[in-house]
Amino acid sequence: MRLSRSMAQRACLARAVFLLCVPGLCAWSFLSPVVSKKAPRFCGAEKAVDARRSTALRASLSLPWRSQGALTDRLSDREWLRMYRTLGLPEDASRAQVTKAASRLRRKYNDDEDALQRVENANLWIMTRLLSEKEEALRSKQAANRLRELGDSPRRLFQKYVAGYIPPGVRQMIEPPTASHFKWASGLLGTFTLMGLCVPTQATNFIGLAAASAMGLVYQRNRPEPVKDDMGNVGAIQKPNVKEMAASISVVVCGTLMGAGLSLLMSAVLNTDFQVYFCPATCFILWLFSLFFKVYQCFE
């Protein structure tokens, strides 16, 4: 009796499931032609969109991004010319022209996947080249700025930490050297230093010559050439400025005394002869003074 009841319950459940499934199957069989008609159009459009999107991806994957060397070395000049001709542009085209030409050709070759791939490939190569040139120019500019800051750092450090303790009258006599002045001063003072080291017994004489050269460099710095006529004769001789001459002598005397003091200090510390350091130390101080000091137009 219990078995017959369970069988009856199962039979009722099966009828209920059948009654629920039959209307659903009928509805699906009725609507399936409509879905089948619309499905090909939708799938085809989706494939077309995917094809357009994947064209740029395939073109980008075709580029040897991981190859070594500069970008301009990866293609020959003929290949670069072909890339620009694909977009119908000259080789000096700007980024805006490349973008405009690529957009126009995408609309033109919308249904031609091969032509569209060539356009995308050329567009990627050219845009990458333009970006690489822009980054290279930016790096060069940054490197030049760093070198300029590095070259200007001694002057900024001098003005920040030293110039404030120097009297105004002496501060106006200090000026960074030019290239030509640096060559003249280095050549003269370096020659006398080398001669003093080669002939130690005549070091005092070479120091005197170095002091005279430093005095002339300080006095003549930034001074204009005398006016001459057509025959090469000096037209007007200017009288020497006593204050400028006295300042030049004072600068040279101070440099010589500083060189002597530095030599005494080094000989005392290292326990060696004074004459060993006197010539190079004094010539070095005179070289620095002749580089950075001037007297012209400082006492007007």
Side-chain angles (χ1 to χ4, degrees):
M1 190 68 179
R2 294 178 180 176
L3 183 60
S4 60
R5 288 182 179 178
S6 62
M7 292 178 66
Q9 291 176 356
R10 291 178 181 176
C12 292
L13 182 61
R15 292 192 193 98
V17 171
F18 179 78
L19 292 175
L20 292 174
C21 292
V22 169
L25 293 174
C26 292
W28 174 257
S29 62
F30 178 78
L31 295 175
S32 59
V34 179
V35 175
S36 61
K37 291 180 181 179
K38 293 183 178 180
R41 294 176 59 190
F42 176 78
C43 295
E46 184 178 5
K47 289 180 180 179
V49 173
D50 292 340
R52 296 192 197 100
R53 291 178 179 176
S54 61
T55 301
L57 180 60
R58 288 195 299 271
S60 63
L61 292 176
S62 65
L63 300 178
W65 300 107
R66 298 183 181 180
S67 60
Q68 302 294 330
L71 180 64
T72 55
D73 297 336
R74 299 175 189 173
L75 295 180
S76 62
D77 295 338
R78 186 174 181 180
E79 289 174 334
W80 278 116
L81 182 61
R82 181 170 56 84
M83 292 294 177
Y84 280 97
R85 286 182 177 178
T86 301
L87 300 183
L89 295 173
E91 293 192 41
D92 57 348
S94 63
R95 184 176 179 181
Q97 292 175 338
V98 174
T99 304
K100 185 177 179 180
S103 300
R104 177 176 56 81
L105 293 175
R106 288 192 190 101
R107 292 191 298 269
K108 181 178 180 181
Y109 300 113
N110 188 22
D111 299 330
D112 191 347
E113 185 176 350
D114 294 334
L116 187 61
Q117 184 174 359
R118 289 195 296 270
V119 170
E120 293 292 346
N121 193 11
N123 180 47
L124 284 172
W125 272 109
I126 295 173
M127 293 297 289
T128 306
R129 182 184 189 182
L130 293 176
L131 290 175
S132 177
E133 292 177 353
K134 184 178 180 181
E135 292 177 356
E136 184 66 25
L138 181 60
R139 285 194 294 268
S140 300
K141 186 177 180 181
Q142 291 175 351
N145 291 334
R146 286 194 295 269
L147 289 175
R148 191 180 299 109
E149 292 178 357
L150 182 62
D152 195 46
S153 57
R155 184 180 63 83
R156 290 188 285 106
L157 292 174
F158 175 79
Q159 292 180 352
K160 184 177 181 180
Y161 297 105
V162 181
Y165 301 97
I166 299 176
V170 180
R171 193 185 310 166
Q172 66 179 353
M173 296 171 57
I174 299 175
E175 181 180 336
T178 60
S180 60
H181 185 73
F182 178 83
K183 291 179 181 178
W184 272 103
S186 301
L188 287 174
L189 277 301
T191 301
F192 294 130
T193 304
L194 182 62
M195 294 173 68
L197 292 174
C198 294
V199 188
T201 57
Q202 301 294 326
T204 307
N205 297 331
F206 294 127
I207 290 174
L209 294 175
S213 300
M215 189 185 307
L217 290 170
V218 172
Y219 183 79
Q220 291 292 335
R221 186 176 181 184
N222 297 339
R223 195 174 298 275
E225 295 291 335
V227 180
K228 297 181 180 180
D229 57 9
D230 296 337
M231 302 299 294
N233 300 319
V234 178
I237 301 176
Q238 297 180 354
K239 296 181 178 180
N241 193 325
V242 179
K243 293 183 179 180
E244 292 177 356
M245 293 182 63
S248 301
I249 296 173
S250 301
V251 168
V252 172
V253 170
C254 290
T256 305
L257 294 176
M258 290 179 63
L262 181 62
S263 302
L264 286 173
L265 179 62
M266 294 176 65
S267 62
V269 172
L270 300 176
N271 195 16
T272 53
D273 189 10
F274 169 78
Q275 295 292 335
V276 176
Y277 307 105
F278 183 46
C279 182
T282 305
C283 289
F284 176 74
I285 299 298
L286 291 175
W287 173 70
L288 290 178
F289 279 25
S290 63
L291 282 180
F292 292 98
F293 277 90
K294 67 169 186 174
V295 295
Y296 180 67
Q297 293 181 347
C298 294
F299 302 96
E300 294 181 354

